[in-house]
């Protein structure tokens, strides 16, 4: 069976993670920020898969399933929060939610 | 009888207590009876005890009232020691005190603080008696401070006037400066002897110290510091003239007869230490000599009748210090007693004059009172004669002559002391008779308002008799040779050693002293009766000197600049406590940092993410660098 | 067991008074008063009956030792010796007056006030008898927090600031003490593998000199701030002047004494070596305090602030005496703790009485009151004289013994401290002059002392006079304690005690 070098997989995961991070930082729309977080989570999951394949262990896949589960939970909570923010502020701009300013 | 000694200070104390507790609700008559009665009884007991003391030839009587406090090797009793020295003081305090109390009943009759006055006066007598009866220095210190308190209260008795309160505080604080030295002296004495019992110290001192020992000298100087404060000697003399703000009986009792001589008592009492510290003793004499001169000069220039007397008191106590300084112990005590008589008399008489003239203090506004107030005139004249040491008839002559003679002929005397004392005697008789001539002669300038009643006259007459006859208990070799006083004091105070070969000159010295005193009177007569214009000429030609003397050599200004103002200034600028600034700064710093860091909490979610990312990158980078 | 009861009575009385106040404030006051009086009677009964065991070498007069948290070596250990006895008697005696003082002044949240008041007293009493260091910290906090409320709720205009300041100063320093206690606990545990907070076990913990120094500083921090020693004194003028009368009374009378007590009971015996090293500095701090407090007091115009600074000055004597390490000086310190509590407490009562009448504490607005309030003036005179150390009053005995005992340790500092008495005269007479003497140009209605106020001030005056004339009973009571702590100091190897003490004694 032909294998792809680990490096490629990790570079892909890193790129995805960086893209996600950048868009979290750049985007002001909360929904897009949530999506970006999802991308970052999946990037981390991909890294786990790659690592698991490299060492030939099941741990990587276990962790991926764990991350997917967690992401689902996170999205549900996150969406609920977004709904609330929209209700309160009538906008999805994250910068508008700066009530905790010191 | 002698076992009733404890009653002598107790009676005035009970008197004071009753008067304080009863307050002003007490009728005046009863307050007067309690006030005078307690002192009268004390005087009576003193006489009886004195009689027994003399007839049974007791050397000393010791009585422990109770053990005051005892810690480790310190044990202090509330206990009394009666010997010839304390007996003399006891007699003067109770007897003169009683006369002054009687006088006060008349003098203070219309004052609204009548009861309060007698309460203070009784308390004062109690404290003064404790001072002279104390067998240890702590109890002496109690009396010492106690009289200071009463002096404070009585100087400021008419507290409505701001300046009376000021004078009172000045007196208390200045004497307390001296007391500090005294207290340190006590600490040192205890460090050396492990006791504060006076007799024990006096017995042990010669065994422990050789003459001229450094510690002894230091201690003697510290005790002298206390004495100087209380007795208004250089450099702590400037409180006494201001203390005249108090009622005249107070000036008579406290600031002439008794309290101000406490310093003389202290030094006489601790004479054993001064004998081991010749340097300190010499300085006692020097301080006395200088004080008697400068105070005499100031007395020459005063217009206020009581201030003349105040400076004269400082000057006369200077004589006593001089006597102590030359080891003429019994001469000092003798002069103390006679001075108590005539100075109390002068103050009371002056008080009567001022009282009769509606609180007129300036003697140049008086004049011509010879005819209007004959009793006061004659008694005042007697007192003045005694103060000026008019030869043969007055007691003051005998007591002062003894000091003059020993300043010359005593083993520790010298020419300087003699010249100072002689000059002082001349000045004394000038200012004394200036006072007499200006006040009682010439034309009447102020109308006499009240005339003193019997209560005020009788004490004057009794004191006048004492100022004349008091001298008869001690007459010099050349004139009768009576030595009752020095015999009495012999067991307590060592007798004065004469310089070899000086005996023959005694009569010469006496003649000189008599001439000086009389010429002083003559000068005063010329200046203030015959040619008053000359006096004014002198005054205006030496205006600067006059001003300097009038202001008491400007010691007050000096202390104001050196001590009072810096203290007040320091206190004022630091009113809000500079140390608190440090803590306020700490608080401000904390708040500043708090605010600064609070600014990083922008509330913008993306900033936080940025922060987290940067932090994570930083930590990763660091971990790579540190642990490759 | 009786010790436990005394504290429980106060705490329970506090709770009860707090509950009852919802129905009747009068009963609340009566309950508070009763519980303090009950304690006073108890301590009086002990004092009257304990002639014999006050002899040196005897064990505790009364003791209670219950396990509390045995796994950490914490026990509820209270014990009473001569010094504690005096302090407890003082606490309860003044406690009575504290309740009486508030009778009219406190009309707002009466129940909570009395709860706090009694708990402060309980905390103070606890500090005076505890022999377990953990318990010490516990009581230290118990007395701190209710005091914070007393100042913060019932104080004058600037009360919030004062309360915070008080709290932060004492809390911060208390935490340092906690650190030191824990440090000592672990050092002792490491050495002997017995982990305990028991005072007598910790007494002779061997440790390096460096460590001992640091641990001692931890204890000192708490005690010196409480005392207070210049430069840690600045909380005091604010707290004293802003607190209600009863609060100032307890602060000055009792709380400051816990600092002095802590020095004598804990700091010195636990760390004898470093204490001796620190002694010259301690005496220096004391002298600085005496002079600084006196100079500060002179310029104050707020009567309560003025009296607060006199406290700073008087507490300097405590420092001076404690670190002189002589029996005489220590007796002086014990005396000073008692007499200062009474005289300064009484001055605060007078300040409170004047405030009630005039609604100001500014002495520049007073003057000439003697005529209208002769009784108050006479009583004030007694306490003012006490504060300047007039012989015949208790404070003189205290100051005299302290100075006399401190003389061999350091003549120079003692001389400066003695000179400080002149400054004391200056500020004391200023109080008299500005309030009672001078011209009376006021239109206030100024009644003389009421019966309740007389009931407070007259006993205090009598006690201060009695202490001045018959102090021996107090000295005897404290003797056993003082001798022990004196001996402890002298048996430790004493390094050169030079520095500030010139040529030791002055013998030739």
């Amino acid at each position: 069976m032909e294998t792809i070098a680990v490096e490629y997989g990790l570079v892909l995961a890193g790129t995805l993670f960086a893209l996600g991070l950048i868009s979290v930082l750049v985007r002001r729309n909360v929904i897009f920020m949530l999506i970006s977080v999802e991308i970052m989570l999946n990037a981390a999951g991909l890294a786990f898969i790659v690592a698991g394949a490299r060492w030939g262990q099941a741990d990587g896949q276990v962790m991926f399933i764990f991350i997917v589960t967690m992401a689902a939970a996170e999205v549900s909570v996150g969406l609920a929060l977004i709904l609330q923010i929209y209700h309160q502020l009538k906008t999805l701009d994250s910068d508008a939610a700066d009530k905790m300013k010191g | 009888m002698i076992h009733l000694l404890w009653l002598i200070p107790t009676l005035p104390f009970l008197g004071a207590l009753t008067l304080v507790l009863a307050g002003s609700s007490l009728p005046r008559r009863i307050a007067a009876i309690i006030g005078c009665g307690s002192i009268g009884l004390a005087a009576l007991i003193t006489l009886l005890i004195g009689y027994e003391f003399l007839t049974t030839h007791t050397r000393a009587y010791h009585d422990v009232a109770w053990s005051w406090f005892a810690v480790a090797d310190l044990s202090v009793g509330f206990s009394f020691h009666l010997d010839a020295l304390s007996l003399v003081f006891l007699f003067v305090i109770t007897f003169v005190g009683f006369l002054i109390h009687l006088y006060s009943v008349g003098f203070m009759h219309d004052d609204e603080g009548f009861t309060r006055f007698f309460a203070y006066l009784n308390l004062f007598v109690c404290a003064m008696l404790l001072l002279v009866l104390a067998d240890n220095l702590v109890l002496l210190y109690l009396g010492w401070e106690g009289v200071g308190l009463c002096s404070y209260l009585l100087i400021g008795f008419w507290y409505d006037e701001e300046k009376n309160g000021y004078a009172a505080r000045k007196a208390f604080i200045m004497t307390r400066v001296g007391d500090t030295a005294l207290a340190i002296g006590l600490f040192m004495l205890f460090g050396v002897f492990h006791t504060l019992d006076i007799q024990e110290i006096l017995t042990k001192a010669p065994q422990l110290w050789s003459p001229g020992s450094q510690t002894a000298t230091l201690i003697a100087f510290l005790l002298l510091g206390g004495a100087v404060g209380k007795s208004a000697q250089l450099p702590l003399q400037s409180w006494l003239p201001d203390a005249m703000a108090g009622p005249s009986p107070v000036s008579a009792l406290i600031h002439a007869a008794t309290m101000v001589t406490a310093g003389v008592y202290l030094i006489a009492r601790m004479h054993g230490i001064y004998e081991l510290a010749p340097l300190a003793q010499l300085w006692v004499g020097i301080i006395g000599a200088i004080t008697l001169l400068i105070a005499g000069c100031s007395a020459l220039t005063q217009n206020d009748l009581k201030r003349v007397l105040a400076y004269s008191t400082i000057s006369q106590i200077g004589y006593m210090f001089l006597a102590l300084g030359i080891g003429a112990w019994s001469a000092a005590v003798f002069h103390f007693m006679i001075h108590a008589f005539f100075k109390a008399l002068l103050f009371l008489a002056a008080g009567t004059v001022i009282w009769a003239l509606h609180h007129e203090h300036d003697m140049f506004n008086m004049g011509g009172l010879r005819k209007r107030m004959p009793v006061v005139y004659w008694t005042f004249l007697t007192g003045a004669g005694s103060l000026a040491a008019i030869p043969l008839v007055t007691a003051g002559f005998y007591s002062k002559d003894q000091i003059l003679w020993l300043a010359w002929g005593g083993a520790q005397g010298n020419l300087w002391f003699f010249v100072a004392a002689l000059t002082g005697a001349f000045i004394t008789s000038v200012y004394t008779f200036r006072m007499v001539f200006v006040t009682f002669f010439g034309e009447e300038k102020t109308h006499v308002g009240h005339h003193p009643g019997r209560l005020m006259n009788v004490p004057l007459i009794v004191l006048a008799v004492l100022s004349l006859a008091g001298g008869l208990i001690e007459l010099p070799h050349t004139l009768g040779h009576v030595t009752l006083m020095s015999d009495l004091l012999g067991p307590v105070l060592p007798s004065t050693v004469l310089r070899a070969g000086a005996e023959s000159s005694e009569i010469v010295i006496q003649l000189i002293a008599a001439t000086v005193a009389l010429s002083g009177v003559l000068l005063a007569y010329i200046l203030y009766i015959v040619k008053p214009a000359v006096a004014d000429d002198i005054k205006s030609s030496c205006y600067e000197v006059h001003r300097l003397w009038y202001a008491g050599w400007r010691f007050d200004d000096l202390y104001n600049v050196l001590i009072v103002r810096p203290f007040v200034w320091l206190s004022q600028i630091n009113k809000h406590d500079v140390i608190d600034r440090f803590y306020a700064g700490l608080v401000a710093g904390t708040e500043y940092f708090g605010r600064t860091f609070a600014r990083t909490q922008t509330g913008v979610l993306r900033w936080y993410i940025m922060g987290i990312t940067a932090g994570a990158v930083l930590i990763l980078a660091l971990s790579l660098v540190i642990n490759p | 067991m009786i010790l436990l009861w005394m504290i429980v009575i106060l705490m329970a009385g506090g709770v009860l008074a707090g509950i009852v106040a919802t129905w009747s404030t009068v009963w609340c006051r009566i309950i508070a008063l009763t519980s303090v009086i009950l304690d006073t009677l108890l301590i009086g009964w002990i004092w009257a009956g304990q002639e014999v065991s006050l002899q040196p070498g005897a064990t505790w007069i009364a003791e209670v030792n219950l396990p509390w948290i045995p796994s950490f070596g914490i026990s509820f250990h209270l014990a009473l010796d001569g010094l504690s006895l005096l302090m407890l008697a003082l606490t309860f005696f003044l406690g009575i007056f504290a309740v009486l003082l508030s009778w009219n002044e406190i009309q707002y949240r009466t129940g909570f006030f009395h709860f706090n008041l009694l708990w402060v007293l309980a905390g103070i009493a606890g500090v005076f008898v505890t022999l377990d260091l953990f318990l010490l910290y516990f009581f230290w906090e118990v007395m701190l927090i209710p005091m914070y409320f007393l100042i913060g709720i019932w104080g004058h205009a600037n009360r919030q600031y004062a309360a915070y300041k008080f709290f932060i100063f004492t809390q911060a320093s208390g935490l340092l003490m906690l650190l030191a206690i824990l440090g000592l606990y672990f050092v002792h545990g490491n050495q002997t593998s017995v982990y305990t907070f028991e005072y007598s076990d910790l007494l002779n913990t061997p440790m390096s000199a460096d460590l001992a120094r640091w641990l001692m500083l931890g204890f000192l921090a708490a005690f010196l701030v409480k005392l207070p020693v210049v430069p840690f004194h600045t909380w005091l003028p604010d707290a004293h002047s802003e607190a209600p009368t009863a609060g100032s009374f307890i602060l000055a009378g009792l709380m400051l004494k816990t600092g002095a007590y802590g020095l004598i009971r804990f700091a010195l015996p636990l760390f004898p070596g470093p204490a001796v090293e620190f002694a010259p500095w301690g005496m220096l701090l004391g002298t600085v305090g005496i002079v600084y407090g006196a100079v500060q007091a002179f310029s104050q115009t707020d009567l309560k602030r003025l009296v607060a600074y006199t406290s700073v000055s008087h507490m300097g004597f405590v420092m001076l005496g404690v670190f002189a390490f002589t029996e005489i000086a220590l007796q002086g310190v014990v005396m000073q703790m008692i007499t200062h509590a009474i005289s300064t407490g009484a001055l605060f009562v007078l300040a409170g009485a004047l405030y009630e009448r005039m609604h100001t504490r500014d002495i520049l607005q007073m003057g000439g009151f003697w005529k209208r309030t002769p009784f108050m003036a006479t009583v004030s005179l007694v306490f003012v004289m006490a504060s300047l150390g007039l012989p015949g009053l208790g404070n003189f005995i205290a100051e005299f013994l302290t100075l006399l005992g401190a003389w061999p340790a350091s003549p120079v500092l003692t001389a400066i401290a003695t000179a400080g008495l002149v400054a004391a005269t200056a500020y004391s007479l200023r109080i008299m002059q500005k309030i009672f003497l001078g011209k009376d140009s006021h239109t206030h209605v100024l009644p003389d002392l009421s019966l309740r106020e007389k009931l407070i001030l007259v006993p205090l005056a009598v006690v201060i006079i009695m202490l001045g004339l018959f102090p021996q009973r107090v000295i005897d009571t404290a003797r056993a304690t003082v001798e022990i702590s004196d001996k402890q100091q002298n048996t430790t190897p004493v390094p050169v005690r030079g520095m500030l003490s010139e040529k030791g004694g002055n013998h030739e």
Side-chain angles (χ1 to χ4, degrees), chain B residues 13 20 24 66-74 76 78 112 116 120 138 141-143 145-146 148-149 152-153 156 159-162 164-166 168-170 172-173 176-181 183-184 186-188 190-194 196 208-210 213-216 218 222 567-568 570-584, chain C residues 161 165 169 230-235 237-238 292 294-302 305 309 327-328 331 368-372 374 378 381 385 388-392 396-397 399-401 403-404 407-408 414-416 418-426 429-430 432-434 436-440 467-472 475-476 479 506-508:
Chain B
F13 179 73
V20 167
S24 46
W66 71 83
S67 163
W68 194 6
F69 56 94
V71 185
D73 44 0
L74 170 72
V76 176
F78 218 95
E112 59 177 320
R116 191 162 59 94
Y120 292 165
V138 187
Y141 193 75
L142 184 147
E145 294 284 317
L149 164 70
Y152 160 76
L153 291 172
Y159 53 77
D160 283 351
E161 291 280 337
E162 197 69 41
N164 293 355
Y166 176 77
R169 270 176 298 157
K170 181 176 171 186
F172 204 175
I173 293 171
R176 264 227 140 178
V177 173
D179 297 351
T180 304
I184 295 172
L186 297 198
F187 303 149
M188 282 191 79
F190 183 75
V192 176
F193 295 105
H194 294 281
L196 286 171
L208 237 88
W209 290 327
S210 53
S213 138
Q214 241 177 0
T215 318
L218 187 55
L222 286 168
F567 177 78
V568 174
L570 197 71
S571 182
Q572 285 296 343
I573 55 154
N574 198 21
K575 186 176 169 191
H576 297 293
D577 208 337
V578 71
I579 295 177
D580 206 27
R581 295 278 168 80
F582 170 74
Y583 295 106
Chain C
Y161 171 74
K165 201 167 178 180
F169 264 87
V230 173
F232 310 114
H233 66 282
T234 61
W235 63 271
D238 286 312
Y292 191 83
V295 173
Q296 285 298 101
F298 186 77
S299 61
Q300 301 304 318
T301 47
D302 177 335
R305 248 186 131 72
Y309 274 111
E327 194 189 332
I328 296 180
Q331 283 285 10
F369 292 170
W370 193 302
K371 231 165 245 149
R372 286 197 269 168
T378 313
L381 185 66
M385 287 303 140
L388 68 77
L390 189 84
F396 167 72
I397 308 278
E399 280 160 18
F400 184 78
L401 287 178
L403 292 169
L404 190 68
W407 176 263
T414 311
I416 297 172
T418 315
L421 287 178
V422 179
T425 317
L429 297 186
R430 188 162 168 269
M432 251 355 248
Q433 179 67 35
K434 294 283 178 210
F436 294 106
L437 309 180
K439 230 180 191 56
D440 183 3
L467 282 173
L469 295 178
F470 309 98
Q472 194 59 39
I475 292 172
D476 285 341
R479 175 168 295 147
N506 272 279
H507 307 264
E508 293 196 4

Side-chain angles (χ1 to χ4, degrees), chain B residues 294-309:
Chain B
I294 62 166
C297 292
S298 287
L300 276 176
T301 56
Q302 302 300 317
N303 296 336
D304 182 332
L305 192 54
K306 282 180 78 182
R307 279 181 92 88
V308 179
L309 289 173

Side-chain angles (χ1 to χ4, degrees), chain B residues 406-422:
Chain B
L406 291 172
W408 168 258
Q412 287 166 273
N414 60 42
L415 185 65
W416 290 106
F417 282 164
F418 177 69
V419 171
L422 204 62

Side-chain angles (χ1 to χ4, degrees), chain B residues 427-582:
Chain B
I427 298 174
T428 306
S429 64
V430 174
Y431 71 69
T432 309
F433 276 87
R434 168 180 179 260
M435 194 162 60
V436 172
F437 293 139
V438 171
T439 312
F440 291 96
F441 290 76
E443 71 229 48
E444 189 181 335
K445 289 171 195 147
T446 310
H447 180 67
V448 176
H450 318 265
H451 279 281
R454 209 181 309 156
L455 264 179
M456 290 167 77
N457 278 337
V458 170
L460 293 183
I461 294 166
V462 176
L463 284 171
V465 171
L466 283 172
S467 330
L468 291 179
L472 296 179
I473 59 168
E474 178 93 4
L475 297 176
H477 291 272
T478 46
L479 296 162
H481 191 59
V482 178
T483 55
L484 288 176
M485 189 78 184
S486 37
D487 288 347
L488 174 66
L489 291 171
V492 187
L493 298 170
S495 55
T496 320
V497 187
L498 289 182
R499 201 139 42 100
E503 291 89 344
S504 53
S505 52
E506 184 168 1
I507 184 86
V508 183
I509 301 291
Q510 274 162 359
L511 282 175
I512 296 174
T515 321
V516 162
L518 288 175
S519 56
V521 178
L522 187 68
L523 182 65
Y525 182 72
I526 294 170
L527 286 180
Y528 293 96
I529 299 279
V530 184
K531 285 185 178 150
V534 178
D536 290 337
D537 278 353
I538 296 174
K539 192 171 147 186
S540 48
S541 61
C542 316
Y543 184 65
E544 284 304 316
V545 177
H546 181 269
R547 268 213 347 201
L548 179 67
W549 288 1
Y550 184 77
W553 300 78
R554 298 206 180 285
F555 274 94
D556 280 338
D557 297 341
L558 184 70
Y559 294 145
N560 266 338
V561 171
L562 282 186
I563 298 162
V564 179
R565 274 196 224 137
F567 177 78
V568 174
W569 177 78
L570 197 71
S571 182
Q572 285 296 343
I573 55 154
N574 198 21
K575 186 176 169 191
H576 297 293
D577 208 337
V578 71
I579 295 177
D580 206 27
R581 295 278 168 80
F582 170 74

